[in-house]
Amino acid sequence: MRSTGFPALAAAVLLIGGVAAGLFGPQPYMGLPLLAAAPLAACALSSFRVSLLVAVLACVASVGLNLYLDRPATALFVDLADVVITGAVALIVNRARARQEYRLAQVRDVAEVAQRAVLPD
Protein backbone atom coordinates (compact mmCIF):
# COMPACT_ATOMS: atom_id res chain seq x y z
CA MET A 1 0.00 0.00 0.00
CA ARG A 2 1.37 3.38 -0.94
CA SER A 3 1.28 6.45 1.24
CA THR A 4 0.38 9.74 -0.38
CA GLY A 5 0.26 11.81 2.82
CA PHE A 6 3.76 12.92 3.74
CA PRO A 7 5.41 12.77 0.29
CA ALA A 8 2.52 14.73 -1.25
CA LEU A 9 2.71 17.27 1.58
CA ALA A 10 6.48 17.59 1.14
CA ALA A 11 6.02 18.06 -2.61
CA ALA A 12 3.35 20.72 -2.02
CA VAL A 13 5.62 22.58 0.41
CA LEU A 14 8.46 22.45 -2.13
CA LEU A 15 6.19 23.75 -4.90
CA ILE A 16 4.87 26.59 -2.74
CA GLY A 17 8.36 27.36 -1.48
CA GLY A 18 9.73 27.42 -5.02
CA VAL A 19 7.03 29.81 -6.19
CA ALA A 20 7.53 32.03 -3.12
CA ALA A 21 11.31 32.05 -3.59
CA GLY A 22 10.85 32.94 -7.24
CA LEU A 23 8.45 35.77 -6.47
CA PHE A 24 10.10 37.27 -3.40
CA GLY A 25 13.73 36.19 -3.67
CA PRO A 26 16.45 38.48 -4.95
CA GLN A 27 16.89 38.40 -8.72
CA PRO A 28 18.33 36.59 -10.65
CA TYR A 29 17.80 33.79 -8.12
CA MET A 30 14.67 31.71 -8.36
CA GLY A 31 13.05 28.89 -6.54
CA LEU A 32 14.00 26.52 -9.36
CA PRO A 33 15.85 24.04 -7.12
CA LEU A 34 12.76 23.71 -4.94
CA LEU A 35 10.51 23.27 -7.96
CA ALA A 36 12.84 20.60 -9.36
CA ALA A 37 12.97 18.80 -5.99
CA ALA A 38 9.17 18.54 -5.70
CA PRO A 39 8.78 15.60 -8.14
CA LEU A 40 11.65 13.80 -6.41
CA ALA A 41 9.91 14.14 -3.06
CA ALA A 42 6.66 12.88 -4.54
CA CYS A 43 8.23 9.86 -6.22
CA ALA A 44 9.58 8.49 -2.95
CA LEU A 45 6.36 6.89 -1.73
CA SER A 46 3.54 8.31 -3.82
CA SER A 47 1.76 6.69 -6.72
CA PHE A 48 2.83 7.29 -10.30
CA ARG A 49 -0.18 9.55 -10.87
CA VAL A 50 0.62 11.77 -7.89
CA SER A 51 4.26 11.96 -8.97
CA LEU A 52 3.22 12.85 -12.52
CA LEU A 53 0.83 15.53 -11.23
CA VAL A 54 3.58 17.08 -9.12
CA ALA A 55 5.99 17.03 -12.07
CA VAL A 56 3.43 18.77 -14.29
CA LEU A 57 2.66 21.34 -11.58
CA ALA A 58 6.38 22.04 -11.18
CA CYS A 59 6.69 22.62 -14.94
CA VAL A 60 3.67 24.93 -14.96
CA ALA A 61 5.02 26.84 -11.95
CA SER A 62 8.42 27.23 -13.60
CA VAL A 63 6.96 28.58 -16.84
CA GLY A 64 4.49 30.79 -14.97
CA LEU A 65 7.22 32.31 -12.82
CA ASN A 66 9.44 32.99 -15.81
CA LEU A 67 6.60 34.66 -17.69
CA TYR A 68 5.46 36.66 -14.66
CA LEU A 69 9.01 37.87 -13.96
CA ASP A 70 9.47 38.67 -17.65
CA ARG A 71 12.65 36.63 -17.91
CA PRO A 72 14.24 35.99 -21.31
CA ALA A 73 13.02 33.05 -23.37
CA THR A 74 16.35 31.27 -22.98
CA ALA A 75 15.99 31.34 -19.19
CA LEU A 76 12.45 30.00 -19.52
CA PHE A 77 13.58 27.09 -21.71
CA VAL A 78 16.58 26.24 -19.52
CA ASP A 79 14.49 26.34 -16.33
CA LEU A 80 11.77 24.26 -17.94
CA ALA A 81 14.33 21.74 -19.20
CA ASP A 82 15.75 21.43 -15.67
CA VAL A 83 12.34 20.72 -14.19
CA VAL A 84 11.31 18.36 -17.02
CA ILE A 85 14.51 16.32 -16.75
CA THR A 86 14.28 16.12 -12.96
CA GLY A 87 10.60 15.18 -13.22
CA ALA A 88 11.37 12.47 -15.76
CA VAL A 89 14.07 11.03 -13.52
CA ALA A 90 11.62 11.10 -10.60
CA LEU A 91 9.03 9.20 -12.64
CA ILE A 92 11.61 6.60 -13.67
CA VAL A 93 12.62 6.15 -10.03
CA ASN A 94 8.94 5.87 -9.08
CA ARG A 95 8.36 3.08 -11.61
CA ALA A 96 11.51 1.24 -10.51
CA ARG A 97 10.44 1.50 -6.86
CA ALA A 98 6.96 0.22 -7.70
CA ARG A 99 8.39 -2.76 -9.62
CA GLN A 100 10.71 -3.58 -6.74
CA GLU A 101 7.81 -3.32 -4.29
CA TYR A 102 5.78 -5.73 -6.46
CA ARG A 103 8.64 -8.23 -6.66
CA LEU A 104 9.14 -8.08 -2.90
CA ALA A 105 5.45 -8.80 -2.36
CA GLN A 106 5.69 -11.83 -4.66
CA VAL A 107 8.73 -13.19 -2.84
CA ARG A 108 7.01 -12.59 0.50
CA ASP A 109 3.96 -14.54 -0.69
CA VAL A 110 6.09 -17.47 -1.88
CA ALA A 111 7.97 -17.50 1.42
CA GLU A 112 4.71 -17.53 3.36
CA VAL A 113 3.38 -20.47 1.34
CA ALA A 114 6.67 -22.36 1.82
CA GLN A 115 6.58 -21.72 5.58
CA ARG A 116 2.99 -22.96 5.83
CA ALA A 117 3.94 -26.14 3.92
CA VAL A 118 6.93 -26.89 6.13
CA LEU A 119 5.73 -25.85 9.59
CA PRO A 120 3.44 -28.20 11.53
CA ASP A 121 -0.10 -27.10 12.31
Side-chain angles (χ1 to χ4, degrees):
M1 180 165 77
R2 292 188 182 111
S3 167
T4 57
F6 180 73
L9 178 64
V13 167
L14 288 168
L15 285 172
I16 292 168
V19 170
L23 290 175
F24 305 115
Q27 294 300 320
Y29 303 107
M30 284 193 58
L32 184 66
L34 297 176
L35 292 177
L40 292 172
C43 86
L45 294 172
S46 296
S47 67
F48 184 81
R49 287 182 181 169
V50 171
S51 300
L52 179 62
L53 175 66
V54 171
V56 169
L57 289 174
C59 290
V60 169
S62 175
V63 170
L65 276 172
N66 277 297
L67 292 175
Y68 178 77
L69 297 172
D70 199 28
R71 295 188 67 201
T74 54
L76 185 147
F77 291 127
V78 168
D79 290 350
L80 181 60
D82 287 344
V83 175
V84 166
I85 291 168
T86 306
V89 168
L91 293 173
I92 291 168
V93 167
N94 181 278
R95 294 309 302 167
R97 182 198 49 80
R99 277 194 303 272
Q100 193 68 14
E101 190 176 275
Y102 177 75
R103 288 183 192 140
L104 180 61
Q106 286 181 320
V107 169
R108 193 178 314 128
D109 291 344
V110 169
E112 184 178 337
V113 169
Q115 285 177 347
R116 288 180 195 267
V118 173
L119 293 175
D121 288 334

